[in-house]
Amino acid sequence: MAGSDNLSDPSSPFIPGLDFETYLEWMRAVHPGVAARVSRQKYEIARAHGVYADGVGDIAFEDHAVGGRGEAYRTTQLANPLIRSRGIETLYQMAIAGQSVGADALLLDALGGNGTVARAISALHAGSDTPLVITADISAAMIKSAITLGLPTIRQSAAYPLFVDESMDAVIFAYGTHHIPVFQRELAMVAARHALKPGGRIVVQDFEIGTPTASWYHEVLDSYTETTHPYIHFTRDGMVNLLDRAGFVDIELHDVYDPCIARADSPGAAKIRVLSYLVDLFALKLPRGNDLDLASWADAEEVVAPYARFVDGPACLEAEEFGVGPVEGGYQAEYPRVALVATGVRPL
Ligand SMILES: C[S@@+](CC[C@H](N)C(=O)[O-])C[C@H]1O[C@@H](n2cnc3c(N)ncnc32)[C@H](O)[C@@H]1O
């Protein structure tokens, strides 16, 4: 299926162009261990709850033609696969802590988009055994993109996952937990607990209300995108209580350094890589500069830089504002962000 045009049934509710049975056949051929854990019955239940009805899902990640900024997100993420890898690696280590990480282990990336986390983990750990990362997402456009990249993937809602109970070694919710409607968050966490094997770990990443990183979304995305950003981030207690109510144990809360980092052979070029990433990823209506002249990005920098400025921030911070410095072989620009991450364990 990867790279093929076998998306032939435009009326399929599962993914326009790919019906559920054809998807299962493909998955059986390329990742039989994943296919064996997908439940037809759960698919029918999810459909009955309207998960696959037209217009469901987050419009922000659909195509521009229907009011989203999904193409921009996918293209920019594909062009900059490792720019957020620092935070992704920390989440990965939290997910596998204390577990066997053989290639037969399964890690569900519940808000996976078009596979950013899966691709980063595979690049960072090339040549060593890692769990198979399953990219799940409610957006058909995201999942079609992940399929064409050849990733093990599934279109599902975090609240109505299609995997049989006790099938996953770890589940990650990252870079989008605030997109799950508040009324569905507990349902999604309970569903994740069911999907996990006893002793399996959950990692939930988002941004703490009131921090510069969370304010970025409310202030910059609200003012400079067509989609705006009507989502609610997390408080520290709120995140812990969510996992507690969902039945997890050994819950821990962490501040995690989660910067955007880019390298280039000049300080200006390194900064431009970060600025253009931020403007393009979120399709910000800000003047885009050119690739050779940092001064042409001054207006964009004036808007984005304040959200990387931390005063008395948490100890995890390694930089307190957007800056650039020499590294071996060139220059590194770093845009600090801090994520709030809760981990928990499915009781035995
Ligand atoms: C900000 S993107 C992050 C994608 C990817 N993790 C990354 O870092 O590039 C958030 C993703 O969550 C998905 N999403 C939002 N609500 C969801 C839900 N209830 N169930 C599954 N996916 C959802 C969106 O479609 C979107 O692709």
Coordinates of all heavy atoms in Angstrom, one line a residue, residues 58 61 73 77 84 109-114 116-117 136-139 142 156-159 174-176 179-181 184, ligand 1:
D58 N -10.7 16.9 13.9 CA -10.2 18.3 14.1 C -10.0 19.0 12.8 O -9.1 18.7 12.1 CB -8.9 18.2 14.9 CG -8.7 19.5 15.7 OD1 -9.0 20.5 15.1 OD2 -8.2 19.4 16.8
F61 N -6.6 20.1 11.2 CA -5.6 19.3 10.6 C -6.1 18.7 9.3 O -5.5 17.9 8.7 CB -5.2 18.1 11.6 CG -4.5 18.7 12.8 CD1 -5.2 18.9 13.9 CD2 -3.2 19.2 12.6 CE1 -4.6 19.5 15.0 CE2 -2.6 19.8 13.7 CZ -3.3 19.9 14.9
Y73 N 1.0 21.6 7.9 CA 1.6 20.9 9.0 C 2.4 19.7 8.5 O 3.5 19.5 8.9 CB 0.4 20.4 10.0 CG 0.9 19.9 11.3 CD1 1.0 20.8 12.4 CD2 1.4 18.6 11.4 CE1 1.5 20.3 13.6 CE2 1.9 18.2 12.6 CZ 2.0 19.0 13.7 OH 2.5 18.6 14.9
Q77 N 6.4 19.3 8.7 CA 7.0 18.3 9.6 C 7.8 17.3 8.8 O 8.9 16.9 9.3 CB 5.8 17.6 10.3 CG 6.0 17.0 11.6 CD 6.9 17.8 12.5 OE1 6.6 18.9 12.9 NE2 8.1 17.3 12.8
R84 N 12.0 18.7 16.6 CA 11.5 18.5 18.0 C 11.9 17.2 18.6 O 11.3 16.7 19.6 CB 9.9 18.5 17.9 CG 9.3 19.9 17.7 CD 7.8 19.9 17.8 NE 7.1 19.4 16.6 CZ 6.2 18.5 16.6 NH1 5.8 17.9 17.7 NH2 5.6 18.2 15.4
D109 N 1.1 5.6 19.4 CA 1.1 7.1 19.4 C -0.3 7.5 19.1 O -0.7 7.6 17.9 CB 2.2 7.5 18.4 CG 2.3 9.0 18.3 OD1 1.8 9.7 19.2 OD2 2.9 9.5 17.3
A110 N -1.0 7.9 20.1 CA -2.5 8.0 20.0 C -2.9 9.3 19.2 O -4.0 9.3 18.7 CB -3.1 8.0 21.4
L111 N -2.0 10.3 19.2 CA -2.3 11.5 18.4 C -1.2 11.7 17.4 O -0.5 12.8 17.4 CB -2.4 12.7 19.4 CG -3.3 12.5 20.6 CD1 -3.1 13.6 21.6 CD2 -4.8 12.5 20.1
G112 N -1.0 10.7 16.6 CA 0.3 10.6 15.9 C 0.4 11.5 14.6 O 1.5 11.5 14.1
G113 N -0.6 12.1 14.2 CA -0.5 12.9 13.0 C 0.0 12.0 11.8 O -0.5 10.9 11.6
N114 N 0.9 12.5 11.1 CA 1.5 11.7 10.0 C 2.8 11.0 10.4 O 3.6 10.8 9.5 CB 1.6 12.5 8.7 CG 2.6 13.6 8.7 OD1 3.0 14.0 9.8 ND2 3.1 14.0 7.5
T116 N 5.2 11.8 13.0 CA 6.4 12.6 13.5 C 7.1 11.8 14.5 O 8.4 11.6 14.5 CB 5.9 13.9 14.1 OG1 5.2 14.6 13.1 CG2 7.1 14.7 14.5
V117 N 6.4 11.3 15.5 CA 7.1 10.6 16.7 C 7.7 9.3 16.2 O 8.9 9.0 16.5 CB 6.1 10.4 17.8 CG1 6.6 9.4 18.9 CG2 5.7 11.7 18.4
A136 N -1.5 6.5 15.3 CA -3.0 6.6 15.2 C -3.4 8.1 15.2 O -2.8 8.9 15.7 CB -3.6 5.9 16.5
D137 N -4.5 8.3 14.5 CA -5.0 9.7 14.4 C -6.4 9.7 13.9 O -6.8 8.7 13.2 CB -4.1 10.5 13.4 CG -4.2 12.0 13.7 OD1 -5.2 12.6 13.3 OD2 -3.3 12.6 14.3
I138 N -7.2 10.7 14.3 CA -8.6 10.7 13.8 C -8.7 11.3 12.4 O -9.7 11.1 11.7 CB -9.4 11.6 14.8 CG1 -10.9 11.5 14.5 CG2 -9.0 13.0 14.8 CD1 -11.5 10.2 14.6
S139 N -7.7 12.0 12.0 CA -7.7 12.7 10.7 C -7.4 11.8 9.6 O -6.3 11.2 9.5 CB -6.7 13.9 10.7 OG -6.4 14.2 9.4
M142 N -4.2 12.9 7.7 CA -3.0 12.5 8.4 C -2.6 11.0 8.2 O -1.5 10.7 7.9 CB -3.1 12.8 9.9 CG -3.1 14.2 10.3 SD -1.4 15.0 10.1 CE -1.7 16.6 10.6
Q156 N -8.2 6.2 14.0 CA -9.1 6.0 15.1 C -9.2 7.2 16.0 O -8.3 8.1 16.0 CB -8.6 4.8 16.0 CG -7.3 5.1 16.6 CD -6.8 3.9 17.5 OE1 -7.2 2.8 17.4 NE2 -6.0 4.2 18.5
S157 N -10.3 7.3 16.8 CA -10.4 8.3 17.8 C -9.7 7.8 19.0 O -9.8 6.7 19.4 CB -11.9 8.6 18.1 OG -12.0 9.2 19.3
A158 N -9.0 8.8 19.7 CA -8.4 8.4 21.0 C -9.4 7.9 22.0 O -9.1 7.1 22.9 CB -7.6 9.6 21.6
A159 N -10.7 8.3 21.8 CA -11.7 7.9 22.8 C -12.3 6.6 22.4 O -12.9 5.9 23.3 CB -12.8 9.0 22.8
A174 N 0.8 12.8 22.7 CA 1.8 13.9 22.6 C 1.5 14.9 21.5 O 1.0 14.6 20.5 CB 3.2 13.4 22.4
Y175 N 1.8 16.2 21.8 CA 1.7 17.3 20.9 C 0.3 17.4 20.4 O 0.1 17.6 19.2 CB 2.7 17.1 19.7 CG 4.1 16.9 20.3 CD1 4.7 15.7 20.3 CD2 4.8 18.0 20.8 CE1 6.0 15.5 20.8 CE2 6.1 17.9 21.3 CZ 6.6 16.6 21.3 OH 7.9 16.5 21.8
G176 N -0.7 17.3 21.2 CA -2.1 17.5 20.8 C -3.1 17.1 21.8 O -4.3 17.0 21.4
H179 N -6.2 18.9 22.0 CA -7.2 18.8 21.0 C -8.3 17.9 21.3 O -9.4 17.9 20.7 CB -6.6 18.4 19.6 CG -5.8 19.5 19.0 ND1 -6.3 20.4 18.2 CD2 -4.4 19.7 19.0 CE1 -5.4 21.3 17.8 NE2 -4.2 20.9 18.3
I180 N -8.1 17.0 22.3 CA -9.2 16.1 22.7 C -10.2 16.9 23.5 O -9.8 17.6 24.5 CB -8.7 14.9 23.6 CG1 -7.6 14.2 22.8 CG2 -9.8 14.0 24.0 CD1 -7.0 13.1 23.6
P181 N -11.5 17.0 23.1 CA -12.4 17.8 23.9 C -12.4 17.4 25.4 O -12.2 16.2 25.7 CB -13.8 17.4 23.2 CG -13.4 16.8 21.9 CD -12.1 16.2 22.0
Q184 N -14.1 14.4 26.6 CA -13.7 13.1 26.1 C -12.4 12.7 26.7 O -11.9 11.5 26.4 CB -13.6 13.1 24.6 CG -14.8 12.7 23.9 CD -14.6 12.4 22.4 OE1 -13.5 12.6 21.9 NE2 -15.6 11.8 21.8
Ligands
LIG1 C1 -0.7 18.9 16.7 S1 -1.0 17.4 15.8 C2 0.4 16.4 16.4 C3 0.7 15.3 15.5 C4 2.0 14.6 15.8 N1 2.0 14.0 17.1 C5 3.2 15.6 15.7 O1 3.8 15.9 16.8 O2 3.5 16.0 14.6 C6 -2.4 16.7 16.8 C7 -3.0 15.6 16.1 O3 -4.0 15.0 17.0 C8 -5.1 14.6 16.2 N2 -6.3 14.4 17.0 C9 -7.0 15.4 17.6 N3 -8.0 14.9 18.3 C10 -7.9 13.6 18.2 C11 -8.7 12.5 18.8 N4 -9.7 12.7 19.6 N5 -8.3 11.3 18.5 C12 -7.2 11.0 17.7 N6 -6.5 12.0 17.1 C13 -6.8 13.3 17.4 C14 -5.2 15.6 15.1 O4 -5.9 15.1 14.0 C15 -3.7 15.9 14.8 O5 -3.2 15.2 13.7

